[in-house]
């Protein structure tokens, strides 16, 4: 029997360690790992990866609480985006309007007009990713938006304020244009559910595996999934 490949070693590490952490978020925690295992099941056909993805989603549902941050990396926006990713890419056959109902309620408790953080990881850009993904997913099934009119208006005002007050990134400008077209005219918009904007640029050596982070953004799951998608 030959030496295990780096891919084999990473996948084994992820299986062993995936339930050990307390982070339930998309970029560093269990939501992102569930996405990885769904993809890896599709890549390998091995049932253990599908079972692990399902177990992580069960754990996430039990561990999600009412005091998470709102942001994309660690909080509600990222978890909701992950749910939409699974549904819109055919990994799960569910209704995100129902599944994300509590997430949407928590997000609507925070007035986006008061946001001064415009970043992807914890601010308005990350929120826009979720709102656009969720609106697209829900409207495809229910012909309505999942958020109330007041919240959608406040998101629009926050986007306009950010465009005027900050030096927005190109990625923020693109999201802002999509949201404004939807809000002002009800226009259909293209929002492809991709993981590429989440992946970090990491290198992994065999001797690092026992302690290397697990997540999609800067860890083994992102490294391996990026490698698979590029090959």
């Amino acid at each position: 029997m030959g030496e295990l490949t780096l891919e084999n070693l990473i996948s084994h590490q992820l299986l062993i360690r995936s339930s050990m952490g307390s982070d339930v978020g998309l970029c560093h925690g269990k939501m992102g790992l569930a996405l990885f295992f769904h993809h890896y099941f599709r890549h390998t056909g091995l049932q253990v990866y599908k079972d692990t993805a399902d177990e992580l989603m069960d754990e996430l549902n039990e561990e999600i609480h009412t005091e998470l941050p709102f942001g994309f990396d660690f909080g509600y926006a990222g978890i909701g985006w992950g749910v939409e990713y699974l549904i819109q890419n055919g990994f799960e056959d569910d209704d995100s309007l129902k599944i994300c109902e509590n997430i949407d309620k928590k997000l609507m408790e925070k007035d986006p007009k008061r946001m001064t953080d415009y970043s992807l990881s914890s601010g308005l850009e990350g929120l826009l990713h979720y709102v656009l993904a969720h609106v697209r997913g829900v409207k495809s099934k229910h012909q309505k938006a999942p958020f109330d009119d007041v919240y959608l208006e406040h998101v629009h005002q926050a986007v306009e304020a950010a465009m005027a007050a900050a030096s927005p990134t190109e990625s923020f400008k693109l999201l802002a244009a999509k949201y404004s077209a939807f809000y002002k005219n009800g226009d259909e918009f293209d929002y492809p559910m991709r993981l590429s904007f989440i992946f970090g640029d990491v290198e992994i050596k065999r001797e690092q595996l026992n302690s290397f982070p697990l997540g999609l953004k800067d860890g083994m799951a992102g490294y391996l999934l990026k490698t698979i998608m590029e090959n």
Side-chain angles (χ1 to χ4, degrees):
M1 183 176 179
E3 185 180 19
L4 289 175
T5 66
L6 182 60
E7 178 178 332
N8 294 146
L9 292 170
I10 290 174
S11 63
H12 291 169
Q13 279 285 324
L14 289 166
L15 282 173
I16 293 167
R17 296 168 54 195
S18 60
S19 291
M20 295 181 180
S22 59
D23 187 339
V24 296
L26 174 66
C27 291
H28 308 281
K30 292 182 178 179
M31 183 75 245
L33 292 174
L35 266 62
F36 166 80
F37 283 116
H38 273 292
H39 269 288
Y40 210 58
F41 167 64
R42 186 175 284 180
H43 175 66
T44 65
L46 296 177
Q47 186 64 35
V48 64
Y49 297 115
K50 175 65 164 62
D51 293 342
T52 304
D54 292 340
E55 290 169 6
L56 285 168
M57 291 302 293
D58 289 342
E59 291 176 14
L60 191 153
N61 288 330
E62 292 175 2
E63 295 171 15
I64 194 170
H65 50 78
T66 59
E67 297 180 358
L68 289 178
F70 289 83
F72 194 80
D73 275 22
F74 297 98
Y76 294 115
I79 292 172
W81 189 94
V83 171
E84 283 290 354
Y85 183 90
L86 291 175
I87 294 172
Q88 293 186 36
N89 283 282
F91 293 104
E92 298 283 358
D93 182 20
D94 282 308
D95 185 346
S96 64
L97 181 64
K98 180 178 180 181
I99 293 176
C100 295
E101 181 179 9
N102 290 332
I103 289 175
D104 297 343
K105 287 179 179 178
K106 292 303 297 183
L107 288 175
M108 287 191 287
E109 290 177 2
K110 183 179 178 68
D111 186 353
K113 300 198 313 302
R114 295 182 178 274
M115 295 178 71
T116 56
D117 180 348
Y118 303 134
S119 69
L120 169 63
S121 61
S122 57
L124 185 58
E125 183 171 344
L127 178 65
L128 281 177
H129 271 288
Y130 173 55
V131 170
L132 288 168
H134 196 32
V135 166
R136 180 176 179 267
V138 170
K139 283 176 71 67
S140 69
K141 293 184 177 181
H142 298 279
Q143 301 301 312
K144 67 176 183 178
F147 304 100
D148 63 40
D149 290 344
V150 172
Y151 186 75
L152 293 174
E153 178 184 0
H154 287 183
V155 171
H156 176 63
Q157 292 173 0
V159 167
E160 290 195 323
M163 292 292 290
S167 298
T169 63
E170 291 302 314
S171 59
F172 186 94
K173 290 178 184 178
L174 181 60
L175 294 172
K178 291 178 185 292
Y179 186 81
S180 294
F182 154 70
Y183 177 76
K184 292 178 180 178
N185 305 312
D187 290 352
E188 294 292 329
F189 56 88
D190 179 39
Y191 181 85
M193 297 295 294
R194 296 172 180 158
L195 291 171
S196 54
F197 74 98
I198 297 176
F199 296 146
D201 186 17
V202 299
E203 294 293 332
I204 304 177
K205 298 180 180 179
R206 289 172 180 255
E207 60 268 23
Q208 298 175 306
L209 292 180
N210 288 333
S211 59
F212 206 85
L214 303 182
L216 282 183
K217 190 169 186 176
D218 58 4
M220 291 188 288
Y223 172 86
L224 189 49
L225 199 48
K226 181 180 179 182
T227 301
I228 292 168
M229 289 178 168
E230 289 178 347
N231 294 331

